[in-house]
Amino acid sequence: MWAGRNLRKAIAVLRDEINTALKVAMKARDERRVSTLRLVNAAIQNADIEAETAKKATLSDDDLLGLLQKLIKQRQESVEIYDKAGRKELADRERGEIEIITAYLPQQMSEAEAKAAIADVIKATGAQSIKDMGKVMAALKQGYAGKMDFGKASGLVKGLLAG
């Protein structure tokens, strides 16, 4: 797991990295990368504005990682829709955007690592039934933001708490 300080430093650098990558992509005339990074920047700016109106100082580390994961999830849903509709070129474009955005997230945990982390959190929180699922998910989001797919984790937590 990333140490908190290292993750904060990584997030602080993340905005600069995205802007630098955008400039490089513009110079290289990489249209897909330019459009994807512009979308990421716009989403970050919108989230910043929402944070300001909600009287938060800035986006937290978890907020920014969650935002990137949300962008990826939206594209994964689009890929499914395009694949079902037989629109391979659009699905491939979305897959390319997923690849670009994923490069800015910490490396995702494997399923085995996720199961081990979930078991540890269940033990640490003392969760015993499905009623404790919210407590477990909150602890997972706090400790593993950006590293774990919480949609899949939710199913794993249900399975472990129900059994």
Side-chain angles (χ1 to χ4, degrees), residues 25-77:
M26 290 170 86
K27 288 179 184 175
R29 299 188 190 283
D30 183 345
E31 290 180 31
R32 180 182 300 175
R33 188 169 294 277
V34 168
S35 67
T36 301
L37 293 175
R38 281 185 174 156
L39 284 170
V40 170
N41 269 340
I44 291 171
Q45 288 174 345
N46 286 339
D48 280 338
I49 292 168
E50 286 178 27
E52 280 181 38
T53 58
K55 304 293 185 217
K56 285 186 181 178
T58 58
L59 286 179
S60 72
D61 305 344
D62 293 344
D63 292 338
L64 194 52
L65 292 173
L67 176 67
L68 293 176
Q69 287 178 318
K70 181 180 172 186
L71 293 172
I72 290 170
K73 185 177 180 184
Q74 289 171 341
R75 276 143 191 82
Q76 288 169 335
E77 291 169 357

